[in-house]
Amino acid sequence: MAPIIRAERLELYYGTHPALRGITMDLPANQITALIGPSGCGKSTFLRTLDRMNDLVPTVSIRGRVLYRGEDIYAPGRDVTALRKQIGMVFQKANPFPMSIYDNVAYGPRTHGIRDRGRLDAIVEESLRGAAIWDEVRDRLKKSALGLSGGQQQRLCIARALAVEPDVLLMDEATSALDPISAARIEELILELKQRYTIIMVTHNLQQAARVSDRTAFFLLGEVIEYGPTGQLFSMPRDKRTEEYITGRFG
Amino acid sequence: MRRRRPVETVMSAVFLLCGLVAVAFVLLITVYLVLSGLPAIRQVGLREFLFGTTWASTHATQPQFGILPLILTSIYGTAGAIVLGVPVGFFTAVYLAKAAPAPVAAVVRPAVQLLAGIPSVVYGLVGMTVLVPWVQRTFRLSAGDSLFASIIVLAVMILPSVISVSENALRAVPKEFEEASLALGATRLETYLRVSAPAARSGIATAVVLGVGRAIGEAMAILMVAGNAANMPSLFESVRFLTTGIAIELNYAAVGSLQRMALYSIGLVLFLFILLLNALLGLVLREGVDR
Ligand SMILES: Nc1ncnc2c1ncn2[C@@H]1O[C@H](COP(=O)(O)OP(=O)(O)OP(=O)(O)O)[C@@H](O)[C@H]1O
Ligand SMILES: [Mg+2]
């Protein structure tokens, strides 16, 4: 299967500090890829290069290529807003806008020009269903999103991301700030979403990576040390450093 | 309970005293304005005073004391300044808070602060020597002193507070909101207008109310560009504000005359406007806390 995203010799510097040191990686469509590794090894940085969120950091410089459906997303003249519509992102800390639940989900579609009330209603319902939160909020769509629990807020953020109909969902430790039950719900949700989306998730929870993902990449100091099918990486890691990390003998 | 040290006791007494002095002055001014403002209103009649359209305080036989032209001029002038100044100030604030490259911000921000420090008489002077002749030429008027010139001066004068208060409010918007918006494919401008500005709205509302306060209380600068005839307001006519109405006549109105007492009454009306405004500000701020 052709990869939906391919990074080629990707290097990223914050000023002079190298955060990614030549990453080459194929990310297959409709699979869940987990990125694991110790803190500061560049997982978030890599994830954010995939939808060009690093553009917001003024000191960043990037070399190499990232191909999305075969086209370089860093090519000059590339429409970044269109790219970000196709590649959605869910953040570590749930960050619903200080607006109503409805307006949160409708924000993306409205941004992309959908004004028709009926269509928006349909998108909002479908997205909330997709994020497994519809039943909990259907009676309070006009209420502020900030009144939801942390786990609900995070599912709302997933719904908000789904509402623009992306291909790919990037999730940066999307469950790490949640209680175990909320986290488990989101894990289930991720498995359901896999049918329709390509998911790339950063996680510090190795059990989670093992449970949920199809492929896993182990990052260390800005490099991918090992990348392969999750079962294989966890049962028979090829690299000693991977083994040390997944058995907990590593810093 | 531990016994307090004498120094502390003395200091807290000093602080209390300072607080009381401020309160005492407010009370004093209020009582004074009410006492000195009421007689003329009683004599002229409240309705005639507030809604009379002619101010002819020095008429030899039939002086008239209607301040509606002054009230409307103050309201229109302030509204005009807000309509012009707030959008400009808001977009400047967005630019400074979100988009300006550091070197540009390093020039613009002190310039804005300087604008706040310029005494109003200097605004008036520049208005009189530059703006008024320009208005006259551009609109082919017999004189450039007008409501229009006043509005422009006031709009510039409210800019600094609108800019700095909105900028602070915009800066306080959590970055996560903006990232979420950008990640959904919104442009930066959309993000600032649809996410940052609403999230900062109570701060921005505060900026507007402060601007209104500054504009409605300003006297010196507009004294020099308004023309000061007590006409019912019209954009290119000479006009007189509540503030300038007092300032112009106070130094020649005879002590104890109805004219002088009427000036105090104008002061009272102005004071009530400011009180109203403060109440509004309180409301806006409280709403900000509630949300
Ligand atoms: N905006 C930034 N400016 C400068 N350096 C940064 C910035 N963001 C990250 N870094 C640095 O880049 C390196 C990689 O950071 P990154 O956040 O990608 O790590 P991570 O693997 O996601 O870590 P964690 O597991 O703690 O989230 C770190 O050394 C970090 O200090
Ligand atoms: Mg991270």
Side-chain angles (χ1 to χ4, degrees), chain B residues 184-195:
Chain B
L184 288 166
T187 63
R188 280 177 190 232
L189 189 63
E190 278 167 341
T191 299
Y192 302 146
L193 294 184
R194 291 180 55 209
V195 173

Side-chain angles (χ1 to χ4, degrees), chain A residues 48 53 56 81 84-85 87 89 91 93 95-99 107 110-112 160-161 164, chain B residues 175-188 190-191 194-195 198-199 201 291:
Chain A
R48 291 165 64 92
M53 289 298 280
L56 304 175
T81 59
R84 293 196 186 131
K85 183 177 179 303
I87 303 185
M89 186 149 206
F91 298 82
K93 187 165 157 255
N95 56 357
F97 300 128
M99 314 169 178
Y107 182 89
R110 281 180 177 143
T111 299
H112 299 291
R160 182 177 63 186
V164 297
Chain B
K175 246 183 89 185
E176 290 85 39
F177 292 161
E178 287 159 8
E179 286 203 324
S181 168
L182 294 167
L184 288 166
T187 63
R188 280 177 190 232
E190 278 167 341
T191 299
R194 291 180 55 209
V195 173
R201 86 188 126 194
R291 281 181 58 257

Side-chain angles (χ1 to χ4, degrees), chain A residues 92-134:
Chain A
Q92 174 173 11
K93 187 165 157 255
N95 56 357
F97 300 128
M99 314 169 178
S100 72
I101 294 169
Y102 184 98
D103 288 338
N104 262 279
V105 183
Y107 182 89
R110 281 180 177 143
T111 299
H112 299 291
I114 297 175
R115 288 273 167 269
D116 179 68
R117 187 66 205 214
R119 255 185 92 193
L120 282 175
D121 286 350
I123 292 173
V124 168
E125 177 172 347
E126 192 190 335
S127 308
L128 288 168
R129 282 188 191 283
I133 190 180
W134 170 251

Side-chain angles (χ1 to χ4, degrees), chain A:
Chain A
M1 194 165 25
I4 189 164
I5 294 180
R6 177 183 174 84
E8 278 180 8
R9 295 184 306 281
L10 185 64
E11 292 173 36
L12 183 145
Y13 295 82
Y14 291 111
T16 54
H17 172 78
L20 301 178
R21 303 160 185 259
I23 290 184
T24 297
M25 206 169 153
D26 281 347
L27 297 156
N30 290 82
Q31 298 231 320
I32 300 175
T33 304
L35 312 180
I36 61 171
S39 196
C41 64
K43 306 178 296 292
S44 297
T45 300
F46 177 69
L47 203 66
R48 291 165 64 92
T49 56
L50 303 183
D51 68 344
R52 290 191 57 171
M53 289 298 280
N54 283 321
D55 291 14
L56 304 175
V57 182
T59 56
V60 159
S61 56
I62 293 175
R63 273 182 239 149
R65 302 202 300 169
V66 176
L67 305 179
Y68 168 67
R69 295 187 179 282
E71 287 180 54
D72 187 1
I73 67 172
Y74 285 95
R78 176 83 200 209
D79 181 353
V80 180
T81 59
L83 174 78
R84 293 196 186 131
K85 183 177 179 303
Q86 288 164 311
I87 303 185
M89 186 149 206
V90 178
F91 298 82
Q92 174 173 11
K93 187 165 157 255
N95 56 357
F97 300 128
M99 314 169 178
S100 72
I101 294 169
Y102 184 98
D103 288 338
N104 262 279
V105 183
Y107 182 89
R110 281 180 177 143
T111 299
H112 299 291
I114 297 175
R115 288 273 167 269
D116 179 68
R117 187 66 205 214
R119 255 185 92 193
L120 282 175
D121 286 350
I123 292 173
V124 168
E125 177 172 347
E126 192 190 335
S127 308
L128 288 168
R129 282 188 191 283
I133 190 180
W134 170 251
D135 291 332
E136 290 156 70
V137 300
R138 60 189 302 172
D139 299 325
R140 50 199 280 208
L141 293 178
K142 294 289 162 210
K143 296 263 167 60
S144 168
L146 303 183
L148 298 173
S149 75
Q152 289 173 326
Q153 287 191 8
Q154 192 61 297
R155 276 178 286 147
L156 175 66
C157 291
I158 295 174
R160 182 177 63 186
L162 298 183
V164 297
E165 301 177 346
D167 277 348
V168 179
L169 270 185
L170 309 176
M171 300 185 149
D172 194 349
E173 298 185 46
T175 65
S176 69
L178 301 178
D179 66 274
I181 294 175
S182 307
R185 291 211 60 172
I186 291 186
E187 265 184 38
E188 276 169 40
L189 175 60
I190 292 172
L191 284 169
E192 279 169 37
L193 293 174
K194 181 184 143 181
Q195 316 291 327
R196 296 172 56 191
Y197 306 93
T198 302
I199 295 173
I200 302 162
M201 57 187 282
V202 171
T203 181
H204 277 287
N205 182 335
L206 298 181
Q207 285 87 7
Q208 184 176 64
R211 269 194 306 266
V212 176
S213 68
D214 301 300
R215 298 172 69 81
T216 298
F218 171 58
F219 277 64
L220 190 63
L221 292 172
E223 283 175 287
V224 175
I225 301 300
E226 186 162 351
Y227 174 46
T230 298
Q232 184 186 320
L233 186 133
F234 277 98
S235 57
M236 314 174 265
R238 271 177 277 123
D239 195 287
K240 193 151 164 298
R241 290 163 293 180
T242 314
E243 185 182 351
E244 281 172 352
Y245 182 73
I246 60 178
T247 52
R249 270 182 280 134
F250 192 97

Side-chain angles (χ1 to χ4, degrees), chain B residues 105-217:
Chain B
V107 173
V108 176
R109 207 170 288 124
V112 170
Q113 274 156 13
L114 199 64
L115 211 56
I118 294 176
S120 57
V121 66
V122 174
Y123 279 98
L125 207 62
V126 175
M128 194 168 79
T129 52
V130 180
L131 178 66
V132 167
W134 177 82
V135 171
Q136 184 197 356
R137 260 182 286 118
T138 312
F139 299 98
R140 300 172 197 289
L141 308 171
S142 56
D145 310 85
S146 58
L147 180 58
F148 182 73
S150 314
I151 285 176
I152 293 189
V153 170
L154 287 175
V156 177
M157 292 183 76
I158 66 168
L159 271 184
S161 67
V162 172
I163 292 173
S164 59
V165 177
S166 333
E167 189 194 341
N168 284 336
L170 286 167
R171 274 184 193 288
V173 173
K175 246 183 89 185
E176 290 85 39
F177 292 161
E178 287 159 8
E179 286 203 324
S181 168
L182 294 167
L184 288 166
T187 63
R188 280 177 190 232
L189 189 63
E190 278 167 341
T191 299
Y192 302 146
L193 294 184
R194 291 180 55 209
V195 173
S196 317
R201 86 188 126 194
S202 82
I204 292 167
T206 305
V208 173
V209 176
L210 288 176
V212 172
R214 171 127 208 224
I216 207 161

